[in-house]
Each structure stands twice: as structure tokens, then as C-alpha cells.
Amino acid sequence: ISARNGGSARRLSGGQLLLSTVLIIAAALLPRFFGLTSFVPQDWPTAVHVLFAMLPLHLGLLLAVVLPALFPPRPFRDVRLDLGLGKLTKDELKRIFKLSPLLFVVVMITASIMTQLAKLCGAEDPDQALIKLALSADIPTFCVIFFSSVFIAPVTEELAFRRTIFEKLHTSMPLQHAAAITSLLFALIHFSPWQIPPLFLLAFLFQQEYIRAANKTTATILMHAIYNGLTMLCLLALRLNGGVQ
């Protein structure tokens, strides 16, 4: 697949992309139905339960992306470039730090509208489960969610969706069609029906930045980390003020 806007060419074959895509879907779905939390004693801390709930998903996504890229063996630099982990320029960093707060506001407004609409329709549980847990959980559990959301999820999810699935779809369809389908898949795997529109919007905007940044996954990883970080800071502020009713 040739890179856009002067970026480096991705050397992964169609077979490698297909294998990664299948493994990513499996990694996203299997923990939902066959998670490790059932093996954790009920009297263990909530933070341990959350850790065991998140670990299979993110480890599975990471392995699904990285393992096919390692064969046949070649220098680490080539693997890194194949995954879009190129160095960001100063101008790109400035752009990301400038756009990320605006993106956060737009997506949060959309999410708030969907939450209110869900309540008007009689939905009892329109918010993402992890958001609700972060608001009410003890401090160790909040710290686990914070670390996972800011430092782990942006890496695994961007490599899986913005890079691998998008590139696979783009081999057989126009650029923006691939971006839309990838974004929809990203929204669906969060299993929060009323939050599909804001999650789709978030993913689609990330995908546009990936395209603009010449296939650099590092750009969207940073944007994703900033977005999740701002979200967690807002949740922390709500916790300090007694949560929400």
C-alpha cells in the first residue's frame, strides 16, 4: 500500500493485513464473552477485576497487530515504520495539541446530546460502563482506569483500527469509505449503543488526522491519549465535586 502525502510505504502484504484484521476482531470480541474476570475471586479488590477485564482486550489487540508484522523477520526499524510509528515533526505536534481540545469539546457535546436523548427515550443506562465505574470506583480502580485509558488504549486501539483495519479496507474500497467503516467498527466494539454516534465521530476525526499525517499512527495515538486524558481529568473533577446525579 503506497503511503499518502509523502509518508513511508507500508510493506505488509494483503495476507498479513487480513490476518491482523481477523485477529483484531477476535481480540475485541472474545474477552467480552470469555473474559478472565470469572477466574478472579469475588472478594478481591475491584481494581484487580478491572485489570483482568482490560488486560485480555489490549494485549490481544497488540499481539494481533504486531505478530503478523514480525514475519518474515526484519529490522525493528522496518517493523516500526510498517506500523506507522514514525517520528512527529514540531509542526505536527503543534497541530495535535491545538486540535485535540477542540475535538474533545465537539465529541463531548455530541455525547451529552445522545445521553439526554437516551434519557428522554427512557433508556436507563445510556453511558459507557467504564465512565460510570470511573466516577464511582475507589482510588486504586480509578488509577487503573486512568493508566489504561491514557497510556495503553490509545496505542492498541490506534494500531488496530486507524492503522491495520483501515489499511486492509482501503485495499478494496475508496479512502473515505474505508475510514467510515473503520470508525463504525470502532464505535460498535465499545458495546454502548447510545454512544455510537460520538464514538463514530471521534474515530472518524482520528482517521482524518491519520490520513493527513501521511499514515503516522503516532499522530492519532497522541491525539487519542490527549482526548482520554482530558476525559479522565473531567471525571476526576466530578469525583472531587461529589459525582453526578
Side-chain angles (χ1 to χ4, degrees):
I1 302 172
S2 297
R4 293 166 288 277
N5 302 328
S8 59
R10 178 162 185 157
R11 292 174 289 276
L12 295 186
S13 67
Q16 287 173 306
L17 287 173
L18 177 60
L19 176 59
S20 281
T21 299
V22 171
L23 291 176
I24 287 166
I25 295 173
L29 294 179
L30 289 178
R32 182 77 179 183
F33 303 103
F34 306 101
L36 295 179
T37 52
S38 59
F39 299 101
V40 181
Q42 291 297 318
D43 58 344
W44 283 23
T46 304
V48 177
H49 283 264
V50 172
L51 183 62
F52 274 80
M54 293 178 169
L55 186 61
L57 170 63
H58 293 299
L59 182 59
L61 289 178
L62 184 63
L63 292 176
V65 171
V66 172
L67 286 180
L70 294 177
F71 299 97
R74 58 192 186 281
F76 173 77
R77 179 180 180 277
D78 290 347
V79 175
R80 179 174 61 82
L81 292 177
D82 284 347
L83 297 177
L85 300 175
K87 185 177 180 180
L88 296 173
T89 66
K90 290 183 178 180
D91 287 340
E92 288 172 329
L93 288 171
K94 289 179 181 178
R95 173 185 170 83
I96 290 170
F97 281 105
K98 181 178 180 180
L99 288 180
S100 293
L102 177 60
L103 180 148
F104 174 79
V105 171
V106 171
V107 175
M108 283 296 101
I109 290 174
T110 307
S112 297
I113 292 173
M114 291 306 302
T115 297
Q116 294 305 314
L117 179 61
K119 291 179 179 179
L120 288 175
C121 293
E124 296 181 358
D125 196 20
D127 296 317
Q128 293 186 58
L130 198 61
I131 297 293
K132 293 174 62 179
L133 179 61
L135 279 171
S136 60
D138 55 32
I139 293 177
T141 303
F142 182 85
C143 291
V144 169
I145 296 173
F146 184 96
F147 184 83
S148 173
S149 299
V150 178
F151 298 104
I152 298 177
V155 176
T156 60
E157 292 178 359
E158 293 307 309
L159 287 174
F161 289 91
R162 244 62 63 198
R163 183 67 177 182
T164 304
I165 292 180
F166 168 76
E167 293 289 1
K168 176 56 185 173
L169 291 174
H170 185 41
T171 62
S172 57
M173 65 180 64
L175 188 74
Q176 294 303 331
H177 292 183
I181 294 175
T182 301
S183 302
L184 180 60
L185 289 173
F186 176 84
L188 290 174
I189 63 101
H190 284 78
F191 296 98
S192 184
W194 284 101
Q195 296 305 318
I196 287 176
L199 287 169
F200 174 86
L201 176 62
L202 176 68
F204 191 76
L205 292 174
F206 282 161
Q207 198 69 68
Q208 299 309 305
E209 182 60 24
Y210 170 84
I211 295 169
R212 191 214 62 80
N215 309 345
K216 288 183 181 178
T217 320
T218 39
T220 55
I221 288 174
L222 179 56
M223 288 187 75
H224 198 152
I226 293 172
Y227 175 87
N228 284 1
L230 290 173
T231 301
M232 294 305 299
L233 289 176
C234 288
L235 294 176
L236 178 60
L238 287 172
R239 285 171 60 95
L240 294 175
N241 284 278
V244 293
Q245 301 299 321

